C-alpha cells in the first residue's frame, strides 16, 4: 500500500485507469486530491543551500590533501601542489585557458609556474578549495599579485581593501606606489588623500625621502595639503633635497616654487630660509626669496600663487565689505562684513566707527583696511586692524575730501582727487604707515571725483571720473612715484564716473558706471579691450580680487535701487558666474581682500 500511495501522489489522477480505480488506496478519502490544489503542491523544490557547495569543497580539499583523483601537479619554487584541473579551471580563467587549450600544459602531469612564491601558491589554493584566505601584512602583496595573475577578482579586491585599512603615515606612500603600479585607482586615490591629510607625519618617514620629484610636486603644489603652517612644507622639501643633495640640488628652485614662502613667518624666513647654506649657494632661488621679502613689506598688494594661504592653515582670502547704503538717500550702514567665496559664508567684523558719513574711500594696506574722508568729518582716517578686529584712528588727511578713491602702491596709500563741497580736487596725498603721516604729492593733470583707481606695474592709474557735475571723463592719468609726475595714457573707451578698478596679473579691470561691461587695460602696451558683459547695469559697485578671480559685489542700477548680486569673473577661463546673494542689497561700499584666520576651519 505504501508503494501505491507514493505512486499516486506523484501522478495525475485518471479515472479511466482501472488499475488505480480498483486499488484500495483510491477508496481512502484522505488521498482524494482536488485538481485546483494540485498546482502548488505537486513539486517540492528542495535545496540544501550553500552547505552543499561547502561540503563538496571540503571533500575536494580532503581529496587534494590525500592526492585522491588529483590529475595535475603545480610546481612552484620546487614545491609540488597536487590539484584537480576541474577545480582550478572552475575558479580561474587563467587555468581554464591553460588546461582547455592545446597548450603543452593541458596534457602534462607536472606544470611549473614561475614568478610567484610557493607560500603565495599555498594561500591561493587554500582560497580555491575553501573560499577562505588569511590576509596578513606579510603576505598581502604577493597574495594580491598571485590573485591578479590567476584572475581571481574577489581575492584581489579583498587584498586591496585590506591595504586600504592598513594606511598609516609610514606606509601610505609605498602603498600608493603599489596601487599605481597595479592600476588600483580607488586605492591610489585613497592613499593620496590620506597622505594629503597627514602630510606632516608622512614627511617624517623614510618612504617620503624616496618619492620621485613629480610625486613630491603633486603634494606640495596642492591647495588641499593639510598642514598647521607653511613652514612644514619648506622643511619637508629641504629634508627631501638634502637626502640626496648632489642629485636633487638642481631641483631646488622648481620645488621652492610650490612653497608659499611669502606666508612664512618673517623671523623664520630670515633665520631658517635665508640662513640655509644650500639656498645661499643657489642664486636661481633669489627671485623667490625677493618675492617673499616684498610680501613682508607690501602685503596683499603683491599677489602671486604663493601668497594664497592653504585653507588647512586656518587662513583664507576673504572679501571685506565696508559700510555702504541700501537705498538712495538712505543712511550709510555701520557694518563691516567678510565673505569667503569658497564656503559662501558671511561673518560680521567690528562695526565701522562714524558710520553716518558717506562717500568715503576704502583700501587694504598689507592685512589691514583704511577708510578715509567722506562727509561729514572729511579729514578723518580710520584703520581696521584685522588681527585685533578693532578700528583705530590714524593721522588725518591734509585736505578733507569725499567721492575720492584710495589705492596702495609699493606699500604706501594714495588718496586721489574727490570733492570738497566746492570743487573737484586734483590734489593727491600719500600715507606712510611706518611714520603715520600724510604728505602731498604732485597733483593730477585733471581734477576728478568718483574715478576708478588702481596700482599696476609700479604706477598708479586714475581712470575716468567726473571733472564737474555735468560731464564725465574718459582720461587715464598715470602717476610715477619715482619721478613724482603724472602722464596721460590711452583713453578708456567710455566716459564714466562711479566706476571701480582692480589690478590682476599686470592688467587693470574696470566695471561699473552703468555700462554692463568689464573693460581691461594693459598698462605695459597701453591699450584697452572690452572683455565681458555683466548681467545688469551697475554703478558704485564693490570690486575685489580673491583667490585669483575678480568679484563684483552689489552696486546700484539705473533706478537707483541697490543690488545684492555677486558676480565672479575668472580671466583664466573668460567665464562670468553669478554667486549666492549678499546678506542685503548695497552700493557705495568699500570692498577689499585680506587674509583672515578662521580657527573653526582647521580645528573642527
Amino acid at each position: 500500500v505504501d508503494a501505491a500511495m507514493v505512486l499516486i501522489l506523484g501522478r495525475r489522477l485518471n479515472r479511466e485507469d482501472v488499475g488505480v480505480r480498483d486499488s484500495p488506496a483510491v477508496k481512502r478519502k484522505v488521498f482524494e486530491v482536488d485538481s485546483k490544489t494540485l498546482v502548488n503542491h505537486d513539486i517540492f523544490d528542495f535545496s540544501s543551500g550553500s552547505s552543499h557547495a561547502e561540503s563538496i569543497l571540503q571533500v575536494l580539499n580532503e581529496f587534494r590533501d590525500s592526492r585522491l583523483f588529483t590529475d595535475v601537479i603545480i610546481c612552484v619554487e620546487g614545491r609540488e601542489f597536487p590539484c584537480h584541473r576541474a577545480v582550478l579551471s572552475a575558479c580561474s580563467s587563467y587555468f581554464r585557458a591553460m588546461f582547455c587549450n592545446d597548450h603543452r600544459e593541458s596534457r602534462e602531469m607536472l606544470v611549473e609556474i614561475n614568478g610567484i612564491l610557493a607560500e603565495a601558491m599555498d594561500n591561493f589554493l587554500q582560497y580555491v578549495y575553501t573560499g577562505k584566505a588569511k590576509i596578513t601584512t606579510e603576505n598581502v602583496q604577493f597574495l594580491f599579485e598571485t590573485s591578479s595573475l590567476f584572475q581571481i577578482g574577489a581575492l584581489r579586491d579583498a587584498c586591496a581593501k585590506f591595504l586600504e585599512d592598513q594606511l598609516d603615515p609610514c606606509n601610505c606612500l609605498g602603498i600608493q606606489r603599489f596601487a599605481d603600479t597595479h592600476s588600483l585607482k580607488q586605492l591610489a586615490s585613497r592613499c593620496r588623500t590620506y597622505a594629503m591629510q597627514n602630510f606632516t607625519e608622512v614627511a617624517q618617514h623614510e618612504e617620503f625621502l624616496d618619492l620621485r620629484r613629480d610625486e613630491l610636486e603633486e603634494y606640495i603644489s596642492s591647495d588641499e595639503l593639510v598642514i598647521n603652517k607653511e613652514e612644514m612644507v619648506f622643511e619637508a622639501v629641504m629634508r627631501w633635497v638634502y637626502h640626496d643633495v648632489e642629485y636633487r640640488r638642481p631641483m631646488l628652485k622648481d620645488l621652492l616654487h610650490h612653497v608659499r614662502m611669502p606666508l612664512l613667518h618673517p623671523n623664520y624666513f630670515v633665520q631658517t630660509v635665508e640662513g640655509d647654506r644650500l639656498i645661499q649657494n643657489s642664486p636661481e632661488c633669489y627671485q623667490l626669496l625677493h618675492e617673499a621679502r616684498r610680501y613682508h613689506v607690501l602685503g596683499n598688494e603683491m599677489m602671486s600663487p604663493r601668497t594664497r594661504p592653504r585653507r588647512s592653515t586656518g587662513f583664507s582670502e576673504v572679501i571685506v565689505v565696508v559700510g555702504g547704503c541700501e537705498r538712495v538717500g538712505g543712511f550709510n550702514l555701520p557694518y563691516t562684513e567678510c565673505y569667503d567665496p569658497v564656503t559662501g559664508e558671511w561673518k560680521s567684523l567690528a562695526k565701522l566707527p562714524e558710520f553716518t558719513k558717506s562717500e568715503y574711500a576704502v583700501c587694504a594696506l598689507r592685512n589691514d583696511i583704511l577708510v578715509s574722508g567722506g562727509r561729514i568729518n572729511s579729514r578723518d582716517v580710520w584703520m581696521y586692524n584685522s588681527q585685533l578686529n578693532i578700528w583705530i584712528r590714524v593721522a588725518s588727511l591734509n585736505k578733507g575730501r569725499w567721492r575720492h578713491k584710495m589705492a596702495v602702491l609699493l606699500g604706501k596709500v594714495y588718496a586721489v582727487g574727490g570733492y570738497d563741497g566746492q570743487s573737484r580736487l586734483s590734489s593727491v596725498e600719500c600715507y606712510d604707515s611706518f611714520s603715520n603721516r600724510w604728505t602731498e604729492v604732485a597733483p593730477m593733470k585733471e581734477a576728478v571725483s568718483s574715478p576708478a583707481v588702481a596700482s599696476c606695474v609700479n604706477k598708479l592709474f586714475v581712470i575716468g571720473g567726473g571733472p564737474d557735475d555735468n560731464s564725465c571723463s574718459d582720461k587715464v592719468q598715470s602717476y610715477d612715484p619715482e619721478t613724482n609726475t603724472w602722464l596721460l595714457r590711452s583713453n578708456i573707451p567710455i566716459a564714466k564716473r562711479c566706476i571701480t578698478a582692480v589690478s590682476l596679473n599686470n592688467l587693470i579691470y574696470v566695471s561699473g558706471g552703468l555700462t554692463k561691461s568689464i573693460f581691461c587695460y594693459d598698462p605695459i602696451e597701453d591699450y584697452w579691450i572690452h572683455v565681458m558683459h555683466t548681467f545688469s547695469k551697475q554703478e558704485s559697485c564693490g570690486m575685489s580680487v580673491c583667490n585669483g578671480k575678480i568679484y563684483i559685489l552689489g552696486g546700484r542700477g539705473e533706478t537707483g535701487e541697490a543690488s545684492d548680486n555677486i558676480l565672479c569673473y575668472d580671466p583664466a577661463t573668460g567665464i562670468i558666474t553669478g554667486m549666492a546673494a549678499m546678506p542685503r542689497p548695497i552700493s557705495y561700499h568699500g570692498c577689499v581682500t585680506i587674509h583672515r584666520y578662521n580657527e573653526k576651519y582647521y580645528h573642527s
Side-chain angles (χ1 to χ4, degrees):
V1 173
D2 288 348
M5 281 161 52
V6 173
L7 287 171
I8 289 160
L9 283 171
R11 288 168 51 181
R12 251 188 123 70
L13 288 178
N14 186 345
R15 295 292 173 201
E16 312 309 315
D17 189 339
V18 177
V20 173
R21 194 175 54 217
D22 292 344
S23 162
V26 175
K27 292 172 188 155
R28 291 174 62 185
K29 278 206 164 168
V30 75
F31 292 115
E32 288 200 6
V33 180
D34 182 356
S35 62
K36 285 177 191 160
T37 62
L38 208 71
V39 180
N40 298 326
H41 298 289
D42 62 344
I43 297 168
F44 176 22
D45 280 332
F46 168 72
S47 167
S48 62
S50 57
S51 64
H52 175 73
E54 283 175 18
S55 63
I56 285 189
L57 264 183
Q58 196 177 340
V59 173
L60 284 168
N61 201 26
E62 287 164 11
F63 285 169
R64 177 172 74 102
D65 290 341
S66 50
R67 296 198 170 203
L68 204 55
F69 306 121
T70 55
D71 52 5
V72 68
I73 294 170
I74 307 289
C75 186
V76 177
E77 290 190 316
R79 246 179 92 180
E80 293 188 350
F81 298 94
C83 302
H84 306 91
R85 291 170 196 261
V87 175
L88 292 177
S89 300
C91 200
S92 155
S93 52
Y94 173 92
F95 284 110
R96 200 172 313 143
M98 178 188 282
F99 296 138
C100 298
N101 297 343
D102 285 337
H103 288 155
R104 189 168 48 81
E105 292 90 346
S106 65
R107 296 181 297 280
E108 296 282 319
M109 186 61 191
L110 187 74
V111 175
E112 196 164 334
I113 296 179
N114 295 316
I116 61 168
L117 299 175
E119 189 187 340
M121 190 68 200
D122 200 11
N123 284 331
F124 169 73
L125 289 172
Q126 279 296 325
Y127 175 75
V128 169
Y129 278 86
T130 65
K132 296 180 180 134
K134 199 179 262 346
I135 304 173
T136 66
T137 47
E138 286 74 33
N139 74 11
V140 61
Q141 187 171 340
F142 57 70
L143 199 51
F144 176 90
E145 285 161 354
T146 306
S147 53
S148 290
L149 173 66
F150 296 148
Q151 294 163 29
I152 309 288
L155 184 56
R156 184 175 179 269
D157 293 347
C159 291
K161 177 74 177 75
F162 177 82
L163 284 171
E164 198 173 313
D165 294 339
Q166 299 304 309
L167 286 182
D168 184 84
C170 72
N171 69 18
C172 62
L173 297 176
I175 294 176
Q176 180 186 327
R177 189 166 285 172
F178 178 80
D180 284 335
T181 305
H182 294 93
S183 303
L184 291 166
K185 289 193 173 61
Q186 187 183 332
L187 179 60
S189 159
R190 183 76 191 78
C191 291
R192 261 185 205 92
T193 305
Y194 183 89
M196 287 280 187
Q197 291 173 343
N198 299 276
F199 184 78
T200 308
E201 301 97 284
V202 169
Q204 301 303 317
H205 290 282
E206 287 303 304
E207 281 187 350
F208 175 77
L209 300 173
D210 296 329
L211 280 177
R212 294 193 312 271
R213 170 191 162 161
D214 60 313
E215 292 172 325
L216 176 61
E217 281 189 300
E218 188 188 343
Y219 285 111
I220 61 172
S221 63
S222 172
D223 278 332
E224 306 306 309
L225 197 67
V226 175
I227 47 165
N228 273 326
K229 50 187 185 188
E230 193 64 26
E231 281 79 351
M232 292 168 174
V233 184
F234 174 77
E235 281 167 18
V237 166
M238 297 313 289
R239 189 166 169 259
W240 186 87
V241 171
Y242 273 113
H243 181 66
D244 184 1
V245 72
E246 288 316 308
Y247 175 65
R248 292 175 177 177
R249 179 188 195 135
M251 307 173 193
L252 182 61
K253 179 198 164 217
D254 289 338
L255 292 171
L256 289 180
H257 184 80
H258 300 294
V259 179
R260 303 183 186 190
M261 287 206 286
L263 305 180
L264 299 174
H265 193 284
N267 290 3
Y268 181 91
F269 178 78
V270 170
Q271 289 168 19
T272 308
V273 179
E274 294 194 315
D276 182 273
R277 63 179 174 83
L278 201 55
I279 290 176
Q280 285 173 352
N281 293 319
S282 305
E284 68 275 13
C285 297
Y286 289 177
Q287 191 54 45
L288 289 167
L289 300 182
H290 181 60
E291 179 188 73
R293 271 189 228 111
R294 275 172 64 82
Y295 184 80
H296 292 151
V297 176
L298 305 178
N300 295 4
E301 181 191 345
M302 198 212 76
M303 284 188 181
S304 89
R306 285 168 292 283
T307 62
R308 199 177 305 157
R310 299 181 209 257
R311 294 184 72 81
S312 59
T313 59
F315 284 94
S316 47
E317 277 191 1
V318 296
I319 297 171
V320 179
V321 175
V322 180
C325 49
E326 285 185 279
R327 59 180 186 277
V328 189
F331 284 113
N332 256 53
L333 299 168
Y335 305 116
T336 306
E337 290 164 309
C338 79
Y339 167 61
D340 183 339
V342 174
T343 62
E345 280 184 287
W346 286 85
K347 291 228 169 57
S348 293
L349 306 179
K351 283 186 180 172
L352 188 61
E354 292 191 3
F355 69 89
T356 49
K357 58 162 67 183
S358 62
E359 299 177 292
Y360 42 75
V362 180
C363 73
L365 173 65
R366 287 181 285 280
N367 216 33
D368 298 328
I369 300 170
L370 280 171
V371 174
S372 72
R375 47 182 171 173
I376 318 298
N377 306 336
S378 59
R379 286 184 55 222
D380 288 0
V381 182
W382 290 86
M383 182 186 274
Y384 172 75
N385 181 313
S386 63
Q387 269 189 299
L388 303 176
N389 189 31
I390 54 170
W391 288 91
I392 304 159
R393 191 194 289 270
V394 295
S396 297
L397 292 166
N398 295 311
K399 182 149 191 49
R401 62 187 79 212
W402 61 89
R403 292 184 208 155
H404 59 301
K405 289 284 176 76
M406 284 197 297
V408 175
L409 173 60
L410 300 175
K412 294 187 173 175
V413 178
Y414 290 81
V416 177
Y419 183 65
D420 63 3
Q422 267 84 47
S423 55
R424 299 311 187 275
L425 304 174
S426 60
S427 135
V428 179
E429 40 190 310
C430 170
Y431 177 69
D432 177 5
S433 62
F434 295 105
S435 61
N436 188 30
R437 278 176 60 199
W438 289 92
T439 45
E440 286 275 341
V441 298
M444 289 185 284
K445 288 186 171 295
E446 179 181 54
V448 283
S449 62
S450 306
V453 178
S455 67
C456 196
V457 296
N458 295 344
K459 293 187 176 57
L460 193 69
F461 293 86
V462 179
I463 300 157
D468 54 57
D469 283 348
N470 306 314
S471 63
C472 296
S473 170
D474 61 359
K475 288 196 171 60
V476 175
Q477 310 183 62
S478 139
Y479 174 73
D480 183 343
E482 268 192 46
T483 57
N484 190 30
T485 54
W486 289 86
L487 280 177
L488 289 175
R489 308 294 296 272
S490 280
N491 290 2
I492 184 168
I494 47 155
K496 293 288 174 184
R497 67 177 83 208
C498 299
I499 52 178
T500 317
V502 291
S503 173
L504 175 62
N505 302 331
N506 291 342
L507 297 169
I508 293 173
Y509 293 85
V510 176
S511 79
L514 296 177
T515 58
K516 205 177 178 180
S517 292
I518 299 176
F519 290 94
C520 176
Y521 174 65
D522 183 332
I524 296 166
E525 302 295 331
D526 189 31
Y527 74 88
W528 285 90
I529 54 166
H530 178 273
V531 286
M532 178 59 62
H533 279 293
T534 58
F535 303 139
S536 58
K537 294 182 176 180
Q538 300 290 333
E539 66 178 8
S540 300
C541 36
M543 203 172 173
S544 202
V545 174
C546 191
N547 300 323
K549 299 184 182 105
I550 295 169
Y551 288 82
I552 302 172
L553 296 89
R556 54 179 232 165
E558 288 172 292
T559 60
E561 282 303 302
S563 158
D564 60 2
N565 290 344
I566 304 176
L567 299 180
C568 171
Y569 172 61
D570 184 352
T573 61
I575 293 170
I576 191 162
T577 336
M579 313 291 284
M582 300 171 74
R584 65 185 68 80
I586 203 162
S587 65
Y588 289 103
H589 48 297
C591 218
V592 294
T593 295
I594 61 169
H595 292 176
R596 183 162 184 273
Y597 184 65
N598 181 3
E599 207 158 348
K600 187 189 85 172
Y601 173 83
Y602 184 69
H603 300 289
S604 60

